[in-house]
Amino acid sequence: MLVDDLHLLVVRDKDSDKVVEQIFTEYLNSKGHRKTPERYAILDTVYSINGHFDIDSLYSIMKEEGKFSVSRATLYNTITLLIDAQLVIRHQFGNSSQYEKTYDRSIHHHLICTKCGKIIEQKNKQLQKEIEAAEFSKFKVSHYSLYVYGLCEKCIKGNKHNKKQTQ
Amino acid sequence: MLVDDLHLLVVRDKDSDKVVEQIFTEYLNSKGHRKTPERYAILDTVYSINGHFDIDSLYSIMKEEGKFSVSRATLYNTITLLIDAQLVIRHQFGNSSQYEKTYDRSIHHHLICTKCGKIIEQKNKQLQKEIEAAEFSKFKVSHYSLYVYGLCEKCIKGNKHNKKQTQ
DNA sequence: TTTACTGCAAATATTTTGCAATATC
DNA sequence: GATATTGCAAAATATTTGCAGTAAA
């Protein structure tokens, strides 16, 4: 039964990859953009990453892991397309942009420690519903980001050795 | 009566300036930092600005308006202190950081148009209360930012001439 | 065949850092 | 007087752009 569950999970992942590819294909078609192997390789890598990543780590992953390697310029171009296609969202916590996939990943909020820079993802269905229910007149909402600033558990306890992360 | 109201308003502004200065002084003392004229001139200018500003516009305002002029390096240093003192918050909408004063300025959310880049400040007391009421275990909240992405009124109407702003 | 896309390198923009001079404590 | 802070310039970092070659349509 456990094996079956695992199997289901894997199958589900593959299915979701296909769905995501199809969404991207439809997006590219609708905009008259070309369907290049670079773009699909980037989509594939982006969707293999759980959590945040920046352009530089995406570049490294594609270069070092024997995957289809592309230039930074292409990464910047393609990530813009993925954002426009609503398959990726961008965060700007520190100095560089951080990205994360959106499809098949549940909505969460971000707790940001102002002392050590740690970012904690936290789900809160109740709050999520309240924000989604909010009315903003004359504005067509597509998505939102909630960043909550404060002190993480370690820093509350006054660990003075916590260094601020650059990322 | 109108004149009195205006007078009251001005007095109130002066009062709040004094309060802000005092908060900053207490912060500097508590951290053992020096109380330099540059720091107070920056605080003063920051609090004269309603809305967002970046380091470059702060630099220009201080240089061109005959105020105490300081270097960019000092602006970066001091803004960090003001953030730590909770007198300023930072946003990172586009590529450069945007700042805004916090004291004596009511809480608002940010609606960001994904097409033209326009940023609309919007108050929503109900939503504000709900977010403030949310519990985040093992995290001591100081403040939060809610960014709502979507299309502004103009862009909903399909004005294709709206250009994406760099800011 | 046309021209959008890619990769490279150069350019731009933003922020940080090293260091000598200065001013606070 | 000791040293934190400032201003300047250089360095580091992130992102954009121009252009020639390549490949999708």
Side-chain angles (χ1 to χ4, degrees):
Chain A
M1 261 188 285
L2 274 168
V3 174
D4 270 2
D5 285 353
L6 188 64
H7 179 68
L8 273 171
L9 196 68
V10 173
V11 170
R12 177 117 65 86
D13 273 346
K14 278 185 184 165
D15 282 355
S16 105
D17 279 0
K18 277 184 196 167
V19 173
V20 163
E21 270 182 35
Q22 198 175 337
I23 292 170
F24 194 37
T25 299
E26 279 163 19
Y27 167 81
L28 292 173
N29 284 336
S30 74
K31 295 278 181 175
H33 293 143
R34 290 181 182 173
K35 296 179 280 297
T36 68
E38 286 85 356
R39 287 175 176 171
Y40 285 95
I42 293 166
L43 176 68
D44 191 57
T45 309
V46 162
Y47 266 78
S48 74
I49 302 172
N50 283 304
H52 305 129
F53 61 90
D54 59 19
I55 292 295
D56 212 56
S57 49
L58 182 56
Y59 181 81
S60 302
I61 290 168
M62 294 190 74
K63 187 157 201 171
E64 284 157 30
E65 292 192 1
K67 303 202 179 194
F68 203 121
S69 176
V70 300
S71 69
R72 278 165 222 276
T74 299
L75 288 178
Y76 279 107
N77 283 335
T78 305
I79 213 85
T80 302
L81 298 178
L82 291 174
I83 290 168
D84 196 37
Q86 311 241 51
L87 290 169
V88 165
I89 60 169
R90 176 199 315 232
H91 296 289
Q92 289 179 98
F93 300 125
N95 292 329
S96 68
S97 294
Q98 301 280 321
Y99 306 88
E100 61 177 312
K101 64 182 179 183
T102 56
Y103 187 85
D104 209 25
R105 191 152 195 263
S106 60
I107 289 178
H108 53 267
H109 306 130
H110 294 88
L111 310 185
I112 303 168
C113 181
T114 51
K115 195 168 173 189
C116 72
K118 184 179 180 185
I119 291 162
I120 303 159
E121 297 183 1
Q122 187 141 113
K123 287 172 197 166
N124 185 329
K125 277 278 178 194
Q126 169 69 14
L127 185 54
Q128 179 187 331
K129 276 182 192 167
E130 285 164 347
I131 295 171
E132 285 168 357
E135 287 283 333
F136 298 102
S137 65
K138 296 175 184 174
F139 193 84
K140 189 165 175 268
V141 176
S142 72
H143 66 285
Y144 74 89
S145 287
L146 176 65
Y147 303 139
V148 180
Y149 297 87
L151 294 177
C152 73
E153 195 178 4
K154 270 192 185 175
C155 289
I156 292 171
K157 288 179 182 165
N159 183 343
K160 306 218 170 182
H161 300 296
N162 299 344
K163 279 182 195 166
K164 186 117 184 180
Q165 301 294 316
T166 314
Q167 157 324 67
Chain B
M1 262 190 283
L2 275 169
V3 174
D4 270 3
D5 284 355
L6 188 64
H7 179 69
L8 272 169
L9 196 69
V10 172
V11 171
R12 177 117 65 85
D13 273 347
K14 278 184 185 167
D15 281 357
S16 104
D17 279 0
K18 276 185 196 165
V19 173
V20 162
E21 270 182 35
Q22 198 175 336
I23 292 170
F24 195 37
T25 299
E26 278 163 19
Y27 168 80
L28 292 174
N29 283 335
S30 75
K31 295 278 180 174
H33 293 142
R34 291 183 181 172
K35 295 179 281 297
T36 68
E38 287 84 356
R39 287 174 175 170
Y40 284 96
I42 293 166
L43 175 68
D44 191 57
T45 309
V46 163
Y47 266 77
S48 74
I49 303 172
N50 283 304
H52 306 127
F53 61 91
D54 58 20
I55 291 294
D56 210 56
S57 47
L58 182 55
Y59 181 80
S60 302
I61 291 168
M62 294 190 74
K63 186 157 203 174
E64 286 159 30
E65 292 193 2
K67 304 199 180 197
F68 202 120
S69 178
V70 300
S71 70
R72 277 165 223 274
T74 299
L75 287 178
Y76 279 107
N77 283 334
T78 305
I79 213 83
T80 302
L81 298 177
L82 291 174
I83 289 167
D84 197 36
Q86 310 241 51
L87 289 169
V88 165
I89 60 169
R90 176 199 313 234
H91 297 288
Q92 290 178 100
F93 300 125
N95 292 330
S96 68
S97 294
Q98 302 280 320
Y99 306 88
E100 58 177 312
K101 64 182 179 183
T102 55
Y103 186 87
D104 207 28
R105 191 150 196 264
S106 60
I107 289 177
H108 52 267
H109 307 129
H110 293 89
L111 310 185
I112 303 168
C113 180
T114 52
K115 194 168 174 188
C116 72
K118 184 179 178 183
I119 292 162
I120 303 159
E121 297 183 0
Q122 188 142 111
K123 287 171 196 166
N124 185 330
K125 276 278 176 195
Q126 168 69 13
L127 185 54
Q128 181 187 330
K129 278 182 191 168
E130 286 164 347
I131 295 171
E132 284 167 359
E135 287 283 332
F136 298 102
S137 67
K138 294 175 185 175
F139 193 83
K140 187 164 174 270
V141 176
S142 72
H143 65 284
Y144 73 89
S145 287
L146 176 65
Y147 303 140
V148 180
Y149 297 88
L151 294 177
C152 73
E153 195 178 3
K154 270 191 186 177
C155 290
I156 292 171
K157 288 179 182 166
N159 184 342
K160 307 217 168 179
H161 300 296
N162 300 344
K163 279 181 197 167
K164 188 117 182 179
Q165 301 294 315
T166 314
Q167 98 68 13

